[in-house]
Amino acid sequence: MIIRWFIVAFLFFGWAALLWPLTSPPPASHLALPAMDEILAYRVDPEKPVAVKVPASIDAVVVSTWALVPRVTVCDPKARFSYGFETTFVDEHGKDVQTHRFELESRLSCDDKDGATAGEYAARVAQGDEWVLDPRTTTITTAELLPHGGVMRMRGLPISVKDVLSRVEGRYRRGSYERTFYEMSLDDEDRSRVVSDMTSLGFEDLPETARSRALSGWDRRLDAAGLEGKDYSLRRLLLRNYRTPFPAAAGTVPGYTVGERHAAAINVMGPVELDVLAPPGRPVTISEGGGGGARMLTVPEDGVFHVSSSRLNPRTFVVEGKGDDFLVRFVLPKPYERAQIGDLIALPFEGDRLEIRPDVRVVKYVKLDPERPVLARVAPEQPYLGLLLRAELPEAGAPDSMAGTVVARWGPGPNERAELRQILPRSRFERWGRPRDQAAEGAIAAGNDKTEADATDPRRAILRIPKGATKIEILGDAHMRVHLRVLDPGVPEDILRVPYRVQLAEDEIWRYAPFDVRTWTPIRAENQNELERQGRIADLYEQVRIELRGKPSPSEAGQKPERTLVPDQAPVRRRFLAPYEIAAKELLPNDGWTPLDLDNPLKLGIGYAGERGGRLKVLYRAHPSRLGKMAELWIDGQNMVEQPIASLSGVLRASLKAGIHDIQVKGLGDGLAYADAAPWEGGAIMRRRDVFELPAREPLSFTFRQRAGESLTLVLFVISEASTRPFKIRYSIDGGKPVRQKGAFFRSITTGSGELSGRTGDAGMGLLWEARRTAKDARKNLDGLAKVKIPIGDDLEPGLRTIKIESVDRVWIGAVLVGQAPLPGDLEPRLWSEDDL
């Protein structure tokens, strides 16, 4: 009997132990909630102060702090935690100016209720399991403390909580123009946030003086002095707008639809294994958005095909299908759960696997109307208004492009308007409305899904705002959509948001990744509220992805044309040989030469026809000790051509049958030789291009004619002789004051004059063939190459363009005009293809 009760008790407590996790407080599900933002914060240690550089251009530092506490079983949102930090300001001479001590109290924002939001937190650490308390913000005025800049030292105080993280920002001031512009860029949520610490009234109800005060400052993160890991340490914080269920990225639905006209993009980093789930038998193409080769396959019977990559750099997998749309899903093995880039995180899937989705962003566009305008407010002295144009494609007929007209109007007169008609190609990635999920598949099959429509690729149009204009009316076809932008006067560069701020390959860029700071900033229409009441706000869903820089759009077939320019002054000309690679059996470019090994024969392919058909030419340089001796050209083991070496450089020529031949040059000593035939097994070649001397402070000029609507780029190849070093080039277009179009749309803005700088060698090393040095010196001290660009936009009046360049030091210059085909009599051979505009 005792044994029987013992068994019953054992089973009872055993089942209770198994069921205990089901009755305990729900586990923290915050790990399944995507972050709204991600920041890097400095660890403020009581024993090791952090030194932050304070520039003279700010008037205050804004210190945000987060205290970390150990995780316990149950979150208590009513608990209070004390912590503190101390700041010491040091002037430019290293003298301590003032010390401030701050003791703060914070709490933990957590949802202790059951349900979908159980365990939601306002912040978490990316690595570790500590709880992150609510942030506290402290503003310290520095204008009088450090008028010439200096350093702020921060250390934690040994109070209750000792583990403190901090982010330090400098508060810059806005002028009246910047304040007006900033107000235009705020949506309703932003306006409420800006004035939340001033009033309970709405933004529009504030007096003008109070509004101006709220808009008068802006913050930018300040950097710590020293080296990370030695002088300071960083931790990653993942932040959310607490109790805001909709994440920054919209890709929360499982799977994504792909097909003949639609594609899905998945961004990953590092080596990864990935399963793609799709209906069996469907044709699928998978490629890399950064230019990797496409892989075509048919989905197996089990509905799964595997994708893997060992590439260390970030990249994008692009999945497309054939025929009608179908749903695909992306599944990761558990070890690769952190492979996806972005603020989406992997969600649980069947077994020990996780599902990821495309990184989709929502952007607001305004629907145009031929009669009811969109009003763009113009700030004082605002120079340009940018329009990002797209169209909504009709479902009937499924066209691959859509034509549309947009009109900008700033007055009643016939000359107070600009009109643009554009053909916009279909976008494979972007759509209007919401992405389809599994619940919408039935509606798709029934043909009554009206939740989305296909979108076109964008076209950027810029309007130079006429003097005296205070508002611009935008009208257009009903299927056209517009997103308004203006240049931010206080932002010199675009800064991507973490975690997209990662190093990509040289020829790759992020498309539609979120920015912390943008030079072109979105603005509200002045009649935004009215447009919303009219139902004229359209949601565009953009897929964040990596693409090749300058990749031509579907409307731009082929590569951009290019032509070589010769300076007007006809200065000293040399040939520059730059390294290049070709594949086995590939034809040699017109401007190509193959380097020969003077000790061993090399297999070269001789063509049947053309200028190189049935002949071989070898360009050589001999060692000075070989003057008066013989240079020998050996073909297939026989000495076929002999020539006295009368100068240090010369040419050997031979006629021979087309096909493969072993070629070797002898008798040059320690010299160099190049053949105008392709290496049969592929490998290194040199491409020659003419370059011109640009002496220090002796300008060169290039003249060409620009046609109406042409956007051109002058690419300058800068070579420094036998060295790699910094360079600086000044340029001016039409004397720095080119004549600009008025009352017309254009795509790019021309800067009339400026400076271009860099370091030769960044774009590779090569050889100036006619340089006066021995072959040994030429191999040892190669010439450095760099590449810079001068944009010549379509905002200029058509006509003759003159670009003058001047260098601080002596360099050699090659010039290519990209966007214009060669003219009869242009310099040949053409220079390099420009593929990264």
Side-chain angles (χ1 to χ4, degrees), residues 161-208:
V161 179
K162 302 180 179 60
D163 201 355
V164 178
L165 303 180
S166 173
R167 177 183 174 94
V168 183
E169 296 174 315
R171 190 177 68 189
Y172 295 77
R173 308 307 299 174
R174 289 188 177 92
S176 58
Y177 170 40
E178 288 86 353
R179 282 200 302 270
T180 304
F181 163 79
Y182 180 51
E183 179 185 346
M184 292 165 53
S185 70
L186 300 177
D187 59 22
D188 292 337
E189 183 179 343
D190 293 331
R191 293 177 177 218
S192 299
R193 174 182 49 78
V194 165
V195 299
S196 60
D197 60 348
M198 299 178 61
T199 179
S200 59
L201 298 174
F203 184 90
E204 302 295 340
D205 298 324
L206 279 178
E208 181 62 33

Side-chain angles (χ1 to χ4, degrees), residues 444-457:
I444 297 171
N448 57 7
D449 175 48
K450 302 300 182 184
T451 61
E452 67 170 32
D454 287 351
T456 65
D457 283 331

Side-chain angles (χ1 to χ4, degrees), residues 203-218:
F203 184 90
E204 302 295 340
D205 298 324
L206 279 178
E208 181 62 33
T209 53
R211 244 192 289 174
S212 177
R213 189 166 69 253
L215 300 168
S216 62
W218 59 284

Side-chain angles (χ1 to χ4, degrees), residues 505-649:
E506 182 181 2
D507 57 347
E508 293 177 350
I509 59 170
W510 279 110
R511 185 76 68 193
Y512 305 128
F515 286 82
D516 274 342
V517 178
R518 290 221 67 171
T519 51
W520 282 94
T521 299
I523 64 169
R524 289 166 47 94
E526 185 170 84
N527 57 338
Q528 185 85 11
N529 294 338
E530 179 184 349
L531 296 172
E532 290 179 357
R533 288 193 297 269
Q534 294 172 358
R536 292 175 57 187
I537 305 300
D539 287 341
L540 178 75
Y541 285 81
E542 300 174 333
Q543 290 189 61
V544 179
R545 58 191 182 273
I546 297 170
E547 289 185 350
L548 287 177
R549 185 189 307 274
K551 181 179 178 181
S553 68
S555 60
E556 298 172 345
Q559 296 291 329
K560 292 187 177 182
E562 58 188 42
R563 55 178 291 216
T564 300
L565 296 184
V566 178
D568 300 335
Q569 294 83 354
V572 177
R573 178 188 299 186
R574 286 185 181 174
R575 285 171 290 186
F576 180 72
L577 305 182
Y580 192 75
E581 292 275 339
I582 64 173
K585 304 179 183 179
E586 183 179 346
L587 293 177
L588 191 70
N590 289 336
D591 56 0
W593 290 89
T594 299
L596 297 176
D597 185 344
L598 300 184
D599 297 322
N600 300 289
L602 181 67
K603 291 186 182 300
L604 298 181
I606 306 300
Y608 290 86
E611 293 182 1
R612 291 172 172 165
R615 68 170 186 80
L616 176 68
K617 181 168 67 175
V618 175
L619 187 72
Y620 71 83
R621 291 184 65 175
H623 191 270
S625 64
R626 301 298 298 171
L627 287 172
K629 305 296 192 332
M630 300 297 291
E632 303 172 356
L633 176 59
W634 288 62
I635 302 174
D636 297 329
Q638 297 184 25
N639 184 5
M640 303 297 291
V641 178
E642 285 188 342
Q643 179 176 292
I645 302 176
S647 62
L648 292 182
S649 62

Side-chain angles (χ1 to χ4, degrees), residues 26 110-119 242-243:
C110 58
D111 193 336
D112 56 352
K113 305 178 183 65
D114 294 337
T117 60
Y242 178 52
R243 293 188 179 89

Side-chain angles (χ1 to χ4, degrees), residues 20-69:
W20 177 80
L22 302 179
T23 58
S24 62
S29 63
H30 62 285
L31 293 178
L33 295 171
M36 289 290 290
D37 200 0
E38 176 176 340
I39 67 169
L40 294 174
Y42 300 112
R43 189 172 185 273
V44 184
D45 196 303
E47 306 297 330
K48 190 177 182 180
V50 178
V52 178
K53 294 173 283 188
V54 179
S57 53
I58 67 172
D59 64 359
V61 292
V62 180
V63 182
S64 300
T65 53
W66 294 263
L68 307 185
V69 296

Side-chain angles (χ1 to χ4, degrees), residues 262-305:
H262 299 136
I266 294 289
N267 307 314
V268 293
M269 186 168 184
V272 68
E273 303 288 330
L274 177 67
D275 286 332
V276 182
L277 282 59
R282 297 302 299 261
V284 172
T285 300
I286 185 162
S287 59
E288 290 197 19
R295 172 189 168 196
M296 292 174 285
L297 53 89
T298 299
V299 180
E301 291 184 2
D302 61 356
V304 179
F305 62 92

